[in-house]
Amino acid sequence: MQNKINLNGIGMTSQRTRERLLGRLIDQGIGSMEVLDVIRSTPRHIFLDEALSHRAYEDVALPIGYNQTISQPYVVAKMTEALLRSGPITKVLEIGTGCGYQTAVIAQLAKSVYTIERIRPLMDRAKKTLKLLGLRNIDFMHGDGSVGWVKYGPYDAILTTAAPQQIPHELLQQLADGGRLVIPVGGDSRQELQLITRTGQEFETTILAAVRFVPLLVGQVQH
Ligand code: SAH
């Protein structure tokens, strides 16, 4: 693990509640110790409104305002594990910062993270929370992530936490040779979590799971 979070002053809910979540992830097939350790040490409750924080260690997606949701821990673990499968990752692009929970997980496992969110108040709140955790290897952009972030590319890992109908071409182009993209693809009712691995100009697709994400909204940014 490269970047440790700072837990000073952040109350943790009971050890037992968090261990129960870890047990659930293991039961569902998450095997990477690296990923499990990071999920164990990431205080999910500080990403939620106080009224919902008692549910933070349940393995469910929960509302974060603006019609968006914090990702389900199992899905965060599954996506992160897929990105790490063939070795350490250096530079990651994330589309859909949301409350920043997935960002916090990946930032502890990569050298630098570039994250894009189209709803400014969500991005501002995520920035504050991630700063509180002492994670300094994250750059934020308010904008439409479906076109990627050319300036810092190519990336050896890209993850999207909102689902497009089809994979945006720009994301494939910004993937480094040997790089991996994890992305939910499909309409409202049913999506596939796909892992795309790039070798030269070839893109190999593996289906990881059936999932439900909020839609990736293309071409419009909300202020
Ligand atoms: N991993 C996040 C998930 C948030 S939900 C978390 O755990 O909180 C998905 C997020 O993607 C939402 O915040 C939504 O606003 C954002 N989003 C949707 N379309 C986008 C786009 N084109 N560019 C950037 N962000 C987008």
Side-chain angles (χ1 to χ4, degrees), residues 44 47 62 64-72 76 79 94-103 115-119 122-123 126 141-147 159-163 213-222:
R44 191 167 181 254
F47 293 90
L62 293 164
I64 54 172
Y66 306 91
N67 283 326
Q68 307 303 323
T69 52
I70 183 172
S71 302
Q72 181 192 350
V76 170
M79 290 175 81
E94 178 189 49
I95 321 296
T97 319
C99 68
Y101 175 65
Q102 166 79 72
T103 323
T115 186
I116 309 175
E117 171 56 56
R118 64 180 281 281
I119 302 176
L122 282 179
M123 191 194 69
M141 177 163 84
H142 173 230
D144 175 9
S146 65
V147 293
L159 74 159
T160 303
T161 70
F213 278 82
V214 297
L216 183 82
L217 299 174
V218 172
Q220 39 170 312
V221 174
Q222 190 175 317

Side-chain angles (χ1 to χ4, degrees), residues 162-167 183-187 190-194 196 211:
Q165 297 276 355
Q166 279 176 351
I167 299 178
I183 185 164
V185 185
R190 194 179 159 274
Q191 299 150 7
E192 280 178 344
L193 187 62
Q194 300 189 358
I196 319 288
V211 286

